[in-house]
Amino acid sequence: MSENDGFISYELQEFKLFEPLFRWARKKSLWIVAFCTGCGGIEMPPLFTARYDLERFGMMPNPAPRMADLFLITGYVTPKTLKRIIITYEMMQDPKYVLAHGSCPINGGVYWDSYNVVKQLDKYIPIDVAIAGCMPRPEAVMDGIREIMRKIETGEADGWKRYRENYEWYRKNQDELFGEGWREKDAKRWLAWL
Amino acid sequence: MFDWKLILEAIGMIIYATFVGFIFMGIERKAMARIQRRIGPPIYQPIIDTLKLLGKKESVSHGFIYDFGPIFALGASITALLFLPIANFQLFSSNADLIVVAYLLEVPMLGIMLGAMSSGNPYSAVGVQRGLLTMVAMQLPYGLALIALIQYYGSFKLSDIVALQSLHGWSILVPALLIAMVVFDIVFQAMLGLEPFDIITAPAEISMGPMVEYGGKHAALLFTQHAVQLFAETAFFAILFLGGASNLLELLVKQIAVLFIAIFIASIYPRFTIDQAAKFFWKWPTILGIIAVLLTM
């Protein structure tokens, strides 16, 4: 695909001189897009209240996907949600990280036998860190966030780069699940009911 | 020929104001966290946020006006800053600089609205509609508070007002101007975009309001603009009602005092809906403002 060619040489566009500074800044100010999927949604508020205060690491729940850096997938993902997750993920701007939270995004969890749960999220969007547990304790989530901070510092958290480079593969998996042209179809779905 | 001294002073003042404005934003977040019994982010957190936003590798643009909006807003805040008598030097001055500053502090809102409308997002449109209604509603008490001040001192010049205050004591010692200060402080809450009047951004209610489509470098520009704006607004308050300042440290203490009042109000009040805010602005602050104007006549 010709429009994808520009993205593959992303490494060259980095500001080499300021890169350590930017890496430190990215690590220190991760803004979470407030997208609560499934039952993990109720595990998000305790992270930001007085007991386990994540704001001391500079994290902030942010309602707008354009400004956010970190996407927490907190629970099972149905195909209907996955469409929204993919659109939100593509709206986020480029160094962006995904943290899968709980067992369901890893292998389906207790919904292994369900016709309507996406078993392996990693086939559709790239995951940087996964935390097991149903539900994980806030300490476990904080541990996962520490891990993602370490990965950002060393440059290992490269989900956004993998998504650019292997876009055809991810796109193929998404199209296999939803069928070709699902974005347009989903946008026009409600027109008949207006 | 260029006036190099003036240019260097202007650049120095902009750098100082941006830095202190970022620290003010950090103080705001830290103080709110402490009020909620949290530890809160470090005080330099907004600087890290801006650095991170500048380090984004992708910027979505929706056309020329979208790019121009934040730049226009930043330019207006910087211009407002240069007209203020910070400590004992004022870079630019005119015969009516109180009016100039009062309106330049409103212009950044228009810049953000301009950029936000061109993004075509419905959340932005709702935010813009709310923002413009808040602006219209707060003009009346804002104008009345300034009229009371101008009538009392008989001058439109900020430097005259500071000089008169250093002769006769601060404005808030005069009963009529104390009422004007209360009115100004209510309007100030809306100018800073804090609760109970944070209807413009309204986090979690209409996503992020006008800023919903801004990300990356545009958002970094808006953050810088907010820092400069915060510095200019708190300095404007300190100059009008708290007697200005003869050095930067004194100004800083007064600005932080003003900021803390705003934070304490913001952290205990919930958000008004837009119709309640418009009704409120045209009721109590307006009545108080009219009383203040009548007392100074």
Side-chain angles (χ1 to χ4, degrees):
Chain A
M1 200 186 255
S2 62
E3 67 179 48
N4 217 17
D5 288 345
F7 298 131
I8 293 172
S9 57
Y10 241 62
E11 202 64 39
L12 300 173
Q13 292 174 19
E14 284 184 352
F15 307 105
K16 287 285 180 207
L17 186 61
F18 296 113
E19 200 54 28
L21 179 67
F22 282 145
R23 270 185 188 164
W24 175 77
R26 275 172 207 145
K27 180 186 93 170
K28 283 288 188 183
S29 105
L30 285 167
W31 290 357
I32 296 177
V33 48
F35 190 108
C36 296
T37 332
C39 24
I42 51 162
E43 293 293 317
M44 289 264 287
L47 286 171
F48 290 96
T49 45
R51 188 159 180 188
Y52 306 99
D53 177 27
L54 270 188
E55 209 184 359
R56 63 205 150 109
F57 304 126
M59 306 184 72
M60 195 162 73
N62 194 331
R66 293 271 188 216
M67 277 188 213
D69 310 286
L70 182 62
F71 200 168
L72 272 173
I73 311 284
T74 55
Y76 60 84
V77 177
T78 58
K80 198 173 173 181
T81 319
L82 186 59
K83 285 176 189 168
R84 275 80 183 167
I85 287 179
I86 290 166
I87 291 169
T88 310
Y89 183 72
E90 286 177 359
M91 272 170 83
M92 286 159 70
Q93 308 202 344
D94 236 352
K96 52 191 175 187
Y97 316 100
V98 178
L99 190 138
H101 168 293
S103 312
C104 301
I106 303 172
N107 58 3
V110 290
Y111 303 104
W112 60 275
D113 202 14
S114 170
Y115 66 92
N116 202 25
V117 168
V118 172
K119 305 296 181 299
Q120 200 187 342
L121 187 66
D122 211 6
K123 274 167 73 182
Y124 306 100
I125 58 170
I127 288 174
D128 290 306
V129 172
I131 315 160
C134 180
M135 298 305 298
R137 293 278 307 158
E139 290 94 334
V141 183
M142 281 155 78
D143 198 45
I145 283 164
R146 284 283 291 278
E147 176 71 13
I148 216 165
M149 282 178 176
R150 188 189 63 75
K151 282 193 167 181
I152 292 167
E153 185 92 82
T154 56
E156 284 171 61
D158 55 351
W160 55 277
K161 232 183 266 175
R162 276 187 279 139
Y163 193 69
R164 292 284 187 200
E165 283 164 7
N166 309 322
Y167 184 67
E168 265 96 275
W169 188 75
Y170 287 113
R171 186 65 194 258
K172 183 176 68 66
N173 287 338
Q174 292 164 11
D175 283 347
E176 265 174 24
L177 186 63
F178 307 128
E180 287 279 344
W182 57 272
R183 285 159 213 258
E184 292 76 20
K185 253 184 239 163
D186 209 53
K188 286 180 189 152
R189 204 179 138 196
W190 296 102
L191 287 181
W193 299 94
L194 283 179
Chain B
M1 197 55 205
F2 286 127
D3 190 350
W4 289 109
K5 190 169 163 285
L6 186 73
I7 291 173
L8 283 179
E9 273 176 352
I11 291 172
M13 190 183 275
I14 291 165
I15 291 171
Y16 173 76
T18 315
F19 183 72
V20 175
F22 277 132
I23 297 296
F24 282 175
M25 283 161 78
I27 288 175
E28 197 184 303
R29 283 177 68 180
K30 185 84 178 172
M32 284 204 183
R34 295 306 298 167
I35 288 168
Q36 299 162 358
R37 303 186 78 178
R38 290 187 285 121
I39 295 170
I43 219 158
Y44 50 88
Q45 182 62 39
I47 298 177
I48 308 178
D49 289 345
T50 311
L51 262 179
K52 177 208 70 178
L53 289 169
L54 282 174
K56 287 268 184 191
K57 291 179 197 299
E58 189 185 23
S59 273
V60 175
S61 178
H62 295 280
F64 173 70
I65 297 293
Y66 180 82
D67 299 333
F68 175 70
I71 297 172
F72 179 60
L74 181 61
S77 323
I78 288 175
T79 319
L81 177 78
L82 295 182
F83 272 97
L84 286 171
I86 306 283
N88 42 17
F89 59 94
Q90 188 179 15
L91 294 175
F92 297 103
S93 171
S94 67
N95 282 328
D97 48 6
L98 197 150
I99 304 294
V100 173
V101 173
Y103 276 91
L104 278 174
L105 288 177
E106 300 284 313
V107 170
M109 190 86 87
L110 294 176
I112 296 170
M113 305 279 162
L114 192 70
M117 274 314 273
S118 71
S119 71
N121 191 313
Y123 285 114
S124 301
V126 174
V128 168
Q129 177 250 334
R130 287 166 166 226
L132 292 179
L133 190 49
T134 315
M135 263 179 74
V136 170
M138 73 192 228
Q139 292 303 319
L140 187 56
Y142 187 39
L144 287 170
L146 293 184
I147 287 169
L149 205 81
I150 293 162
Q151 259 184 349
Y152 186 79
Y153 288 113
S155 168
F156 282 101
K157 279 177 80 96
L158 286 174
S159 47
D160 283 359
I161 289 176
V162 173
L164 283 169
Q165 285 185 65
S166 62
L167 274 179
H168 307 297
W170 294 3
S171 299
I172 51 169
L173 299 178
V174 183
L177 293 185
L178 183 66
I179 298 173
M181 193 213 69
V182 171
V183 175
F184 193 86
D185 197 51
I186 294 168
V187 175
F188 190 62
Q189 209 75 14
M191 280 163 74
L192 293 184
L194 288 171
E195 282 101 342
F197 304 109
D198 69 335
I199 350 176
I200 301 163
T201 50
E205 190 186 331
I206 45 165
S207 197
M208 284 281 273
M211 276 74 96
V212 65
E213 277 287 312
Y214 281 109
K217 288 165 181 104
H218 298 87
L221 262 182
L222 285 180
F223 252 64
T224 319
Q225 184 269 328
H226 187 70
V228 177
Q229 175 89 354
L230 197 55
F231 184 89
E233 277 168 357
T234 45
F236 190 49
F237 192 109
I239 286 161
L240 288 185
F241 293 102
L242 301 182
S246 57
N247 55 38
L248 284 177
L249 187 69
E250 196 187 337
L251 185 73
L252 196 68
V253 171
K254 284 175 182 170
Q255 279 176 314
I256 288 177
V258 168
L259 190 69
F260 266 104
I261 296 172
I263 292 168
F264 291 152
I265 295 172
S267 52
I268 54 168
Y269 280 101
R271 186 181 304 143
F272 272 134
T273 60
I274 181 67
D275 53 327
Q276 283 170 340
K279 257 185 212 162
F280 177 80
F281 272 127
W282 284 330
K283 207 189 246 171
W284 301 113
T286 306
I287 293 169
L288 283 177
I290 291 170
I291 292 171
V293 171
L294 290 178
L295 282 178
T296 50
M297 281 224 278

